[in-house]
Every structure is written in C-alpha cells, then in structure tokens.
Amino acid sequence: MKIILDVDCGVDDSLALLYMLKKPEVEILGVTSVFGNVSAQKSADNVCRILDLADAPKDIPIVCGAESPLEGQWDGPVAIIHGDNGLGNARLPVSSRTVLDMPVEDFLYETTARYPEEVTVLTLGRLTNVANTIEKHPDFKKNIKNIVMMGGTLSAPGNVTPVAEANFEGDPLACDKVFCSGIDISVVGLDVTMQTRLKKSYIESLWEYCRDQDKAIAEYLCAAFGYYFEGNHIQDGCIDDCPLHDPLAAIAVVKPELFQFQLLKARIECNGDYCRGMIVADKRNHTFEAEYIKFAIAVDAEAALRELLSIF
Ligand code: BDR
Ligand code: CA
C-alpha cells in the first residue's frame, strides 16, 4: 500500500503515524503537514520528531503545507486537547531531519503521478492541501487512487459545533472542493470514531508488554495521551477513555473490512450561522447534483482497537 499522510500533527495524528510506520504492508511515500491542531510548520516539526522516535527511514519526505484555510483565518492551536506543542506537551528531542523546500501541491502531484492510481492519501486534518493540489494540478484527480479522510459526522453530534467536526469545519470550502472532485473518497467521521474508545489503561500498560525497542514509544504515548485524556475529559466528559479519531482512519486504510460504508451523494455547507462545515448528504431517491462519497457508518470497534494495539 503506497500512502501519503497529510497531518496537523497533534496527539492522535502522531499515533496514526506510528501505527502506519509499524505496518509492514504500508509504504509511506511522504508526510505533508497542514494547520489545525498546531501550525503547519509545527506539525512538520512534530512529524520529524515522531519519525525519529519510531526510527523511521531518514529518506521519508516531509513537506510543509497550508497555514490557513481557503477563506478566512485559522483559529489558532488547540492547546487544550493537544498541548502547547501539539504532542500533549510530551518532550521529544529536536530532529535533524529536513523538511523539503517545495510547494506541497507539487509534492502531492508529483508523487501520485509517479505511481498512477496506486497512491492513497490519508488526510487527518483540514483538506486545504488536497484542495489546492486539485486546483493547481488538474491531473492529480486522475493519478491518485483514493483519499481516506478523518473528518465530519453524518448522525453523531459535532465536536466543534452542534453539527460539525473540527477538520471539516476548519476549512469547509476545501472539503467541499475535494468532495466535488470525483476522487474516490472514504470518510471516517465521528459516527465511528466516537464509538471506538481508547482506554487509558491500554496506553498505561503498553510499557509493560511492548518490545524493548518500543519502550520509548510507549513512554511518549503515556505522556502525550495523559494530557489528551484530560483535554477530552473537559470537552466530552469521558473519564477513562477517549474517542479514537485519526488512528481509526489509518486503520480504515489497512483494514477496510472492519467498517461498513454507505454511499451517499454529499456536499459540505460552507456558510451559515449554525451549519458551517456540516455534511449535507442526500438520502432521497432523486438526489441533488453531487458526487458519491463512502461514509463509514459502523465499525467493529473491538477489532479496530486490537488491530491498533497489535503493533506493539
Ligand atoms: C480531528 O480534529 C483534530 O483535533 C484531531 O487530530 C482529529 O483529526 C477530530 O475531530
Ligand atoms: Ca488530526
């Protein structure tokens, strides 16, 4: 599986990245960064540190992407959930890896063009980089195999507004452009991520049973998720567990059979006082003009958690 990850590298993004790095069937062709939980620049810096932590090959390209949405301004870092550094204030050494000095759109285009219809882009943040690539390189749509994205909600409550999820609400216009592109898209949203609960005890016990070479990763996850659990507690009232957002989207790439998908034509509401970033999916027989999107509507949560923890 040839994968590019596009991340706003916060705590759950970092676990998704670690999971992908540990899967032998996954070949990571690059990691691109976008504003969201932290700035795109800080996200790229966090990616470098996580790659070091996992002792990942030094030649994995890292590219810094958009620092703001297509319209309007970024609201700033989400320190309450992801800490001041995006990694739950866990300290990881400064990395000597370099971030490639090239436009993210060119990287996404050139890398997918090198392997036509073979590359999956896994987006774990706003869709800004992908929307900009579609705009700048019309052939991108033909070359990319598919996109799996963490974001949105069909029927679960939103997590930043009553009806919207953070990644979609943070750049609804970009998300709508990507939805309209005709690219094969699978959406892993709050409908399934809220049902998949990562228990505090899973993270806390990692250190005891993981392989010796993974002790540093277990230590990092304990520190980062210690903060993340607190943040989610304040936001969602959960005490001993938290939803599994970005890692679940990564699992959907590797093990799609753990999910049930529904195909619906859908757009994203880009305006409105209450509905910005909301998915408008048409369940009528005579649907509006839009592209079909695959929405994850159910998941075998226990199997997904087993799959995640199997990397240790
Ligand atoms: C999404 O928003 C970000 O905070 C997380 O990293 C995840 O991608 C959840 O709504
Ligand atoms: Ca994310």
Side-chain angles (χ1 to χ4, degrees), residues 8 10-13 37 78 81-82 124-126 150-151 159 165-167 190 193 228 245-246:
D8 57 334
V11 175
D12 60 330
D13 301 71
N37 296 322
V78 190
I81 307 268
H82 297 274
L124 304 179
R126 279 71 172 154
M150 190 283 133
N159 62 1
E165 180 280 333
N167 290 340
L190 301 180
T193 66
Y228 187 75
H245 296 306
D246 293 342

